[in-house]
Amino acid sequence: MTDRELCVLAIKAMNNSYSPYSDYRVGAALMSEAGKVYTGCNIENSAFSPTCCAERVAFFKAISEGERSFLKIAIAGGKKGEALNETISPCGVCRQVMAEFCKPDFKILLVKSENEYTETTLAQLLPLAFSGDNIK
Ligand code: THU
């Protein structure tokens, strides 16, 4: 699966977003080292704090299926009814979840449109991460 194809899956995953409170749809497509893709969308809640980001939904789907090693994730987001026109960057909580399971060179694709994305890494988005090593 190419980076571009993963970006298209992230955009498609936005369609399932449950976001009646923000009207902000997010989609993520996560590829495991085994080559399987897990998608996720944001799932909001009237009590707000139970809301889960698209990235964590994708990770938790994959982890619950037994996956533990990941290559890359594509993330797309935008207001309902508007064309995609800007990249979104994962929130701090999602970065920390990524750090639990991914190496610093884990590739993160920030989708701008079907044909445009910015490539970054976990190390760039979460330098000096707290990890399990700290509490051993
Ligand atoms: N959201 C995500 O799904 N991923 C992020 O990285 C940032 C924010 C969602 C949460 C909420 O449903 C909506 O976007 C607005 O914050």
Side-chain angles (χ1 to χ4, degrees):
M1 157 114 12
T2 65
D3 288 357
R4 189 114 161 229
E5 287 166 337
L6 200 67
C7 289
V8 171
L9 289 182
I11 295 170
K12 282 199 180 130
M14 290 169 64
N15 290 328
N16 289 331
S17 166
Y18 176 76
S19 42
Y21 305 105
S22 71
D23 272 342
Y24 191 82
R25 300 181 311 160
V26 184
L30 170 67
M31 195 170 112
S32 70
E33 246 168 40
K36 228 179 135 181
V37 174
Y38 298 84
T39 58
C41 62
N42 54 330
I43 303 171
E44 297 187 344
N45 189 282
S46 57
F48 286 14
S49 63
T51 293
C52 194
C53 293
E55 298 91 320
R56 270 176 290 147
V57 171
F59 265 93
F60 295 159
K61 278 169 75 176
I63 296 297
S64 68
E65 295 295 319
E67 297 278 10
R68 291 293 184 270
S69 306
F70 301 97
L71 282 180
K72 53 187 173 180
I73 191 169
I75 307 160
K79 270 274 173 192
K80 191 177 174 189
E82 288 178 16
L84 276 185
N85 57 12
E86 57 184 34
T87 56
I88 101 159
S89 195
C91 81
V93 172
C94 290
R95 293 177 198 203
Q96 187 65 35
V97 168
M98 291 175 195
E100 185 70 26
F101 299 104
C102 305
K103 298 186 192 85
D105 65 352
F106 176 64
K107 206 197 267 191
I108 301 172
L109 308 169
L110 309 175
V111 180
K112 188 167 183 202
S113 69
E114 291 245 351
N115 308 308
E116 266 182 290
Y117 58 88
T118 303
E119 185 178 323
T120 185
T121 63
L122 182 58
Q124 280 177 305
L125 294 188
L126 190 63
L128 302 173
F130 185 79
S131 82
D133 292 340
N134 293 109
I135 51 176
K136 267 181 190 153

